[in-house]
Every structure is written in C-alpha cells, then in structure tokens.
Amino acid sequence: MRSGRLHARATTFDRLLKPVHRWIWRNVERRVQKLLRFSETEIDGGRDILRAAELTSDPVLRRLYLEHAIDEFRHGLMFRQRAGSVLRELPLRSKRTLQLDWPAPGGHGLDDLQIDKESDGSLLAFLHLSEKAAASRFTIYRDVMQHDPPTRAIFAEILNDERFHMNYTLTHLVRVAPERHRRHLWRARLSRLWKGYLRLATALASAMGALILTIQYFTVLPPFAWLAKRAARRESPGWFPISSERNGSLRRQY
Ligand SMILES: [Fe+2]
Ligand SMILES: [Fe+2]
C-alpha cells in the first residue's frame, strides 16, 4: 500500500458537479459504459508512460515511469473486469440496447500528450496535473458510489495510486527543473485549459450542428415533400400514350 504525501482533495468544480456524477453513475448501463471508457483511457495512458520510460535518459525516472505504466495498465484491467461483472448482472434486454459511446473523460487527459516531443520537465508537469485531476475526479466517484461497494472499492484503491503518481511527478519535476518547475506547471496548465476549451467547443459545435439539421428537417423539407406529393397527384395513373414527336424509331440511345 502506498500513502500519498499530498492528500489530493476534489476541486471545487468537481464538488459542484457531484449531483451530476451521482446521477450518471446511478444508472447501471451508463456505469458500464463509463467503466469501459476509463479502462481504455488508463491503458492508453499506460502505453504513453511506457514510451516515456523508453525515451528518458534519467534512470530514476525510467524506473518510476515503468512502475507508473504498470499501475495504469492494472487500473485499466480493474475497470474492464468490473465493467464485465456489472454487465453480466444486467438483464438481457439492457445488454442488447447498450451503446458503448457514452462520452466519459477519465480525468487523466493523457490522450492529449505527445510523448516524443516532451522534455522530462514538461512531461512531469503535465503528468502531475493529469494525475491531480484524476485524483480529484476519483475522490468524487468513490464518494458517490455508496450503492455499488465493489466499484467504490476499485476507485478507492486506484485513488491511492493516483495520489502516488501526483506526488512523485511533482517531487521529480522540482528535482529535474529546480529553477523552471513553476514555468513548466503553468505551461502545462495553459495547455490543458486550451485543450479543454477545444473539446468543449467541438462538443458545442456538434450539438449545434445536430440542432440546426433537426430544425432544417422540420422546416425546409416539408414544402418539398408537399410539392412532390402534389406533382404525384397530378400524374394520371397507369399507362398512357406519348406524343408522336417523342415516339420515333429507336436509332439512338437518347
Ligand atoms: Fe490511473
Ligand atoms: Fe495515474
């Protein structure tokens, strides 16, 4: 068992959203979708950190990155196994209608990272903020999961690891960049903010696109449908003779 030096608290924003999280997690189908998405995010994050272990020239960081990557893979498996157990308890009808595209950001945001372009300092700053965000989210998820003790236990266990990740990344950021660690943290904060804005703007644009297309469907299409129906009504039914000028012999195709 690891104990975190800094005890991450949930951010005010996450605490304000607690009722929303409670509502989301209460539904069993959404819970499965979120757990599966988290599993994917954790395993992807682990893969990125494994790449960071290959690239760093710092032996201490390499060992920590390897340990970190193993943790993230393990988290991914824990989420996947739990999703499988919850899924097996679902009635057959719900399984059939289950759609696995529920948008569920895991909190890490490691998907935003391009490992090959990062220095040790910038990577550690990014990882520190990502782990801090994950710890904040997982604190809330653990708290709203009273109705599902096994999932709650998973969040509690993972939260412990996320705190360790959050702490070691900050400690080693200060070690590798004693003069510039604050600047690295600010740059990482701004980068996360910008990417968050882009994600929000994309989601908003997609929602607006759907709304505009729906409005067009109900306002622009009906006149065309009405005109087509009117033209169909004017057509005389069945076979009818054609004019003599259009009734020449078939010497050409058109
Ligand atoms: Fe994790
Ligand atoms: Fe982590």
Side-chain angles (χ1 to χ4, degrees), residues 42 49 68 71-72 75 108 110 131 134 161-162 165:
E42 296 280 328
I49 294 161
H68 189 161
D71 283 346
E72 301 301 355
H75 298 168
H108 278 74
L110 291 179
E131 298 296 334
D161 289 342
E162 305 304 9
H165 299 158

Side-chain angles (χ1 to χ4, degrees), residues 82-103:
R82 181 64 197 141
S85 307
V86 178
L87 195 59
R88 276 190 289 279
E89 290 161 17
L90 273 179
L92 193 63
R93 198 167 54 83
S94 303
K95 281 182 205 170
R96 283 203 192 114
T97 54
L98 193 67
Q99 291 179 349
L100 299 178
D101 54 358
W102 181 258

Side-chain angles (χ1 to χ4, degrees), residues 47-116:
R47 220 170 273 134
D48 286 339
I49 294 161
L50 201 55
R51 178 76 185 131
E54 286 173 353
L55 293 174
T56 185
S57 53
D58 184 317
V60 181
L61 279 184
R62 184 173 301 123
R63 190 178 60 78
L64 284 163
Y65 284 157
L66 279 174
E67 202 178 325
H68 189 161
I70 291 166
D71 283 346
E72 301 301 355
F73 280 122
R74 191 164 49 80
H75 298 168
L77 293 181
M78 285 164 77
F79 281 132
R80 189 181 294 173
Q81 279 165 3
R82 181 64 197 141
S85 307
V86 178
L87 195 59
R88 276 190 289 279
E89 290 161 17
L90 273 179
L92 193 63
R93 198 167 54 83
S94 303
K95 281 182 205 170
R96 283 203 192 114
T97 54
L98 193 67
Q99 291 179 349
L100 299 178
D101 54 358
W102 181 258
H108 278 74
L110 291 179
D111 51 325
D112 292 337
L113 209 54
Q114 286 181 297
I115 296 288
D116 295 13

Side-chain angles (χ1 to χ4, degrees), residues 29-251:
E29 291 166 27
R30 282 199 296 264
R31 206 179 313 153
V32 172
Q33 289 163 351
K34 284 194 67 123
L35 288 169
L36 286 173
R37 185 62 66 90
F38 282 8
S39 157
E40 214 175 283
T41 312
E42 296 280 328
I43 290 173
D44 279 352
R47 220 170 273 134
D48 286 339
I49 294 161
L50 201 55
R51 178 76 185 131
E54 286 173 353
L55 293 174
T56 185
S57 53
D58 184 317
V60 181
L61 279 184
R62 184 173 301 123
R63 190 178 60 78
L64 284 163
Y65 284 157
L66 279 174
E67 202 178 325
H68 189 161
I70 291 166
D71 283 346
E72 301 301 355
F73 280 122
R74 191 164 49 80
H75 298 168
L77 293 181
M78 285 164 77
F79 281 132
R80 189 181 294 173
Q81 279 165 3
R82 181 64 197 141
S85 307
V86 178
L87 195 59
R88 276 190 289 279
E89 290 161 17
L90 273 179
L92 193 63
R93 198 167 54 83
S94 303
K95 281 182 205 170
R96 283 203 192 114
T97 54
L98 193 67
Q99 291 179 349
L100 299 178
D101 54 358
W102 181 258
H108 278 74
L110 291 179
D111 51 325
D112 292 337
L113 209 54
Q114 286 181 297
I115 296 288
D116 295 13
K117 294 183 183 165
E118 305 289 339
S119 66
D120 278 337
S122 64
L123 178 61
L124 285 166
F126 192 94
L127 284 175
H128 171 67
L129 295 179
S130 303
E131 298 296 334
K132 200 172 170 182
S136 164
R137 277 287 172 87
F138 290 169
T139 304
I140 296 291
Y141 296 159
R142 180 203 57 192
D143 292 350
V144 299
M145 209 62 72
Q146 287 101 340
H147 55 281
D148 183 348
T151 309
R152 183 186 162 97
I154 286 174
F155 277 121
E157 187 180 336
I158 291 179
L159 180 59
N160 206 35
D161 289 342
E162 305 304 9
R163 282 183 187 141
F164 169 72
H165 299 158
M166 184 183 99
N167 287 330
Y168 97 77
T169 44
L170 184 61
T171 307
H172 287 271
L173 170 61
V174 176
R175 177 179 68 81
V176 301
E179 306 286 319
R180 303 185 64 203
H181 71 276
R182 282 205 178 81
R183 195 184 301 177
H184 280 307
L185 282 171
W186 272 110
R187 282 182 65 176
R189 246 175 231 131
L190 290 175
S191 160
R192 278 176 65 86
L193 212 63
W194 174 243
K195 281 163 184 164
Y197 161 75
L198 287 182
R199 263 200 296 271
L200 194 73
T202 310
L204 208 65
S206 155
M208 278 175 66
L211 184 72
I212 289 167
L213 282 174
T214 309
I215 292 171
Q216 281 181 349
Y217 181 81
F218 287 106
T219 56
V220 177
L221 282 187
F224 285 102
W226 179 76
L227 286 171
K229 274 186 182 166
R230 198 180 67 159
R233 269 199 305 273
R234 284 181 179 173
E235 287 279 327
S236 41
W239 296 92
F240 53 91
I242 59 170
S243 60
S244 55
E245 60 266 23
R246 286 180 59 206
N247 200 17
S249 63
L250 292 173
R251 280 182 307 214

